[in-house]
Amino acid sequence: MYDVLVVGSANADLTVRVERRPGAGETVLGTDLVESAGGKGANQAAAAARLGGRTALLARVGGDAYGQLLLDAQRAAGTDVGPVIVDDAARTGTAMIIVSPDGDNSIVVSPGANAALTPQDVAAAKDVIEASSVLSLQLEIPMESVRAAAEAAEQAGTRVVLNPSPAPEALAPELLAVADPLVVNEHEAAQLSGRSGGTPGEWAAALRERGARSVVITLGADGALVLDSAGVCEVPGIKVRAVDTTGAGDAFTGALATRLARGDALPDAARFAVRVGAAAVTKPGAQPSYPTPDELPAA
C-alpha cells in the first residue's frame, strides 16, 4: 500500500547560476555546472518520500550515468523505484536551468527517455496504481500516458492530483474531470481558465466550472488559494529568503499529495504544502532542497 504513486518525468538537472539571464544572442558567464536529480515527476516523488509518505515512482530513465544519478537520489529520499523502467536504448531526460540572483529561473527540458513512457507501461503498473491512495500526474511525459494513468486511477478509486505543467493550450475534459485537485500556478491558471485577466479566485472558479473537482492555485510567496465543494480558502504565504525557486512547485505538490493520502482536508493539506514549498526555496537545487518534517518553517 502506497500513500502516493507518481507517474511522470525524471530528469538530470544541469544548473548554472548567473548575475543576469542573457538576452537574445547574448553570452554571459556563469558559475560551475551543478548536476542534480530533477524532473517534475521525480521531484514530487522525492518530496513526498522525504516527508515520510510511502511513495513509489513510475518513470523511464536511460541506462546512463544520469539514470543512475536519478535512481540513487530516489532511493536516498525513500522512494520505491521498483516501477522505474531503465531504457538502455535511450538517454535520460535533462533540464538545463539558469538561475538569477533573486532565485528565479529559466528552464529548457530535453525529454529523452521520458518521451518513451507509454500507456503500456502504465497498464503494466495497474497493481501499483490500485495499491495507492493518491496518484500524482504532470505533463512532462506523453499525453496518452497521462490519460491512461488517470483512467486507471479512476477505475481503481485512487485520488488524482493533476499538475498540468508544462501547461497546454487547453486541457482535455477527461483529465479535468478526474483532477482532485488541479494544482496550477498563476500563469497556468490564467491560461487554462481561458481568462487573460482576472483574479486567482475567478480563475479557480472558471476551472471548476470546466470540470475540475477541486482547484489549488499556488501563489509563490503569497501562499495558495484553494477551491473545493466547501468554498474558497486563502492560505497565507510564509516569509523566507529565496535562494532558488527551482522545483518549489513540485515540493508543494508532493507534500499536498502526501497529506491528502493521509486524510487531510484540502485546505489543511495546502497549508502544510505551503510550508514545504517555502522551505524548498531557501536552498539551491530541486530535490537537494526538499525538507524533512523537522526542517519545516513554523506555520
Side-chain angles (χ1 to χ4, degrees):
M1 184 66 183
Y2 297 103
D3 293 321
V4 180
L5 167 65
V6 181
V7 177
S9 60
N11 294 323
D13 285 350
L14 313 180
T15 305
V16 175
R17 305 184 73 88
V18 295
E19 286 300 316
R20 61 182 179 82
R21 282 179 281 183
E26 183 182 16
T27 300
V28 299
L29 290 177
T31 61
D32 288 342
L33 182 72
V34 175
E35 300 175 348
S36 59
K40 294 192 71 64
N43 285 351
Q44 292 176 16
R50 198 160 290 167
L51 292 166
R54 296 165 298 178
T55 308
L57 173 66
L58 171 59
R60 267 189 181 265
V61 299
D64 50 25
Y66 285 149
Q68 192 60 52
L69 168 72
L70 294 170
L71 290 171
D72 289 345
Q74 288 298 316
R75 293 188 182 107
T79 305
D80 183 349
V81 296
V84 175
I85 300 162
V86 179
D87 185 348
D88 290 327
R91 292 178 59 90
T92 298
T94 55
M96 290 148 278
I97 305 171
I98 298 174
V99 182
S100 57
D102 61 1
D104 206 355
N105 60 65
S106 298
I107 304 174
V108 177
V109 174
S110 174
N114 295 306
L117 188 67
T118 66
Q120 290 73 31
D121 296 330
V122 173
K126 177 184 176 184
D127 290 347
V128 184
I129 295 173
E130 292 177 346
S132 303
S133 296
V134 172
L135 172 68
S136 185
L137 294 169
Q138 328 78 40
L139 303 186
E140 285 187 336
I141 58 174
M143 189 63 76
E144 59 267 25
S145 301
V146 175
R147 289 194 186 98
E151 182 178 352
E154 181 77 352
Q155 293 173 354
T158 298
R159 185 170 187 168
V160 175
V161 172
L162 176 61
N163 174 214
S165 180
E169 289 298 319
L171 198 59
E174 62 269 25
L175 287 177
L176 269 173
V178 299
D180 191 17
L182 183 75
V183 182
V184 286
N185 62 26
E186 292 174 90
H187 170 76
E188 293 158 350
Q191 178 173 319
L192 293 173
S193 68
R195 301 187 178 190
S196 56
T199 66
E202 290 169 341
W203 299 330
L207 288 167
R208 197 147 188 265
E209 289 170 3
R210 291 190 172 203
R213 297 182 186 181
S214 58
V215 179
V216 175
I217 300 179
T218 58
L219 304 173
D222 293 327
L225 181 138
V226 175
L227 176 62
D228 61 9
S229 59
V232 175
C233 176
E234 296 182 359
V235 179
I238 296 174
K239 290 186 178 180
V240 294
R241 179 179 175 272
V243 172
D244 184 354
T245 61
T246 305
D250 297 327
F252 178 100
T253 304
L256 186 80
T258 301
R259 282 305 179 102
L260 291 175
R262 294 183 176 181
D264 280 15
L266 186 56
D268 293 333
R271 290 186 187 94
F272 179 77
V274 163
R275 294 172 63 201
V276 174
V281 304
T282 63
K283 297 178 182 179
Q287 292 178 35
S289 74
Y290 293 166
T292 64
D294 294 338
E295 296 171 328
L296 295 179

